[in-house]
Amino acid sequence: MDGAPPATSPAGLSAYVAVSQLLGLTLLATTGAWLGRYRGGVAWHSSLQFNVHPLCMVLGMVFLQGDALLVYRVFRHEAKRSTKVLHALLHGLALVIALVGIVAVFESHRTKGIPNMYSLHSWCGMAAFVLYLLQWLLGCGFFLFPGASFSLRSRYKPQHVFFGIALFALSVAACLLGITEMLLFNISDSYTRFVPEGVLANTLGVLLVAFGLVVGYVLTRDDWKRPPLAEELALSMDFKTLTEGESPGG
């Protein structure tokens, strides 16, 4: 209606989202600074191929995954279908970037004769990636593409939400393990003396935790959840009628 007031976000939501983006960009810049200043930079066909791995994992499995989770909080008044597509696309982009990072570390290990998948970091990281891929495929199958019934979607949704947050937390934890592993491999003899590289890498770890906490707080505030629009409620009832054979009033 012409006289309807403009839609607004709940108090505090915009500020927390802005802080999350500032933290996210800062942790990306810090990752680049660490790799560029102390690890020689990033390149694919060289001894620096390994450095592609931490950059891709922080970008894909943390920053983009976090932003994909925030989509339903940020785009509160846009069409649900558009929001779903953006949510899925961001997760898909995160998966592609993470896959590049995984290929980089396996290729680097193969070239240098280093064994794969022996550390806690590699176990947690691979588990996060595989489960994240499964979560994305199931999410697309249940919510983005037609086919799943209304009752099936309703039963799966709580699991989808829970595992979305859990996998994000696991991804942050895997990155923290990876930072520690890199430091112990590269500066184990000087790490205890608060050398600049160690301090910078620790700062990156703190930024990862801060980003995860801010995103987690936004996601778990019930009053910040995306409210269903009137047309979405009508479409939901129509979908339930078609898939469950019930009347809209039932």
Side-chain angles (χ1 to χ4, degrees), residues 41-64:
V42 175
W44 189 262
H45 296 292
S46 76
S47 60
L48 301 175
Q49 186 179 29
F50 176 85
N51 292 344
V52 176
H53 175 71
L55 182 63
C56 285
M57 304 322 277
V58 170
L59 174 59
M61 294 297 287
V62 177
F63 182 65
L64 287 178

Side-chain angles (χ1 to χ4, degrees), residues 23 27 62 168-169 171-173 175-177 179 201-217:
L23 286 170
L27 72 87
V62 177
F168 176 64
S171 299
V172 172
C175 286
L176 294 175
L177 290 171
I179 291 171
N202 287 349
T203 301
L204 173 59
V206 172
L207 289 170
L208 283 165
V209 172
F211 180 73
L213 289 175
V214 173
V215 171
Y217 180 73

Side-chain angles (χ1 to χ4, degrees), residues 81-249:
R81 179 71 179 180
S82 301
T83 309
K84 281 185 180 181
V85 170
L86 179 59
H87 179 73
L89 286 176
L90 284 175
H91 278 309
L93 180 59
L95 279 166
V96 171
I97 293 174
L99 180 60
V100 172
I102 290 174
V103 171
V105 73
F106 274 86
E107 283 289 309
S108 176
H109 283 180
R110 181 185 60 80
T111 302
K112 298 176 181 178
I114 301 174
N116 294 305
M117 299 302 300
Y118 65 89
S119 67
L120 179 60
H121 162 65
S122 62
W123 288 17
C124 290
M126 187 58 72
F129 178 78
V130 172
L131 292 174
Y132 187 36
L133 175 60
L134 180 61
Q135 166 90 343
W136 183 74
L137 292 173
L138 288 173
C140 289
F142 275 95
F143 302 115
L144 193 60
F145 303 118
S149 67
F150 182 86
S151 62
L152 195 59
R153 287 186 178 190
S154 299
R155 287 196 298 269
Y156 176 66
K157 185 178 179 181
Q159 283 73 38
H160 184 73
V161 172
F162 169 77
F163 282 108
I165 298 175
L167 288 173
F168 176 64
L170 178 59
S171 299
V172 172
C175 286
L176 294 175
L177 290 171
I179 291 171
T180 302
E181 190 173 289
M182 280 187 68
L183 291 175
L184 293 179
F185 272 132
N186 293 298
I187 60 168
S188 59
D189 58 337
S190 59
Y191 186 29
T192 57
R193 297 198 294 271
F194 294 92
V195 293
E197 180 178 358
V199 173
L200 182 62
N202 287 349
T203 301
L204 173 59
V206 172
L207 289 170
L208 283 165
V209 172
F211 180 73
L213 289 175
V214 173
V215 171
Y217 180 73
V218 173
L219 294 175
T220 53
R221 278 283 298 263
D222 287 338
D223 55 328
W224 287 355
K225 290 183 178 179
R226 183 183 189 274
L229 305 179
E231 59 269 24
E232 294 171 10
L233 292 174
L235 287 172
S236 178
M237 291 304 301
D238 290 341
F239 180 77
K240 183 176 182 181
T241 302
L242 289 172
T243 58
E244 304 298 330
E246 299 178 5
S247 65

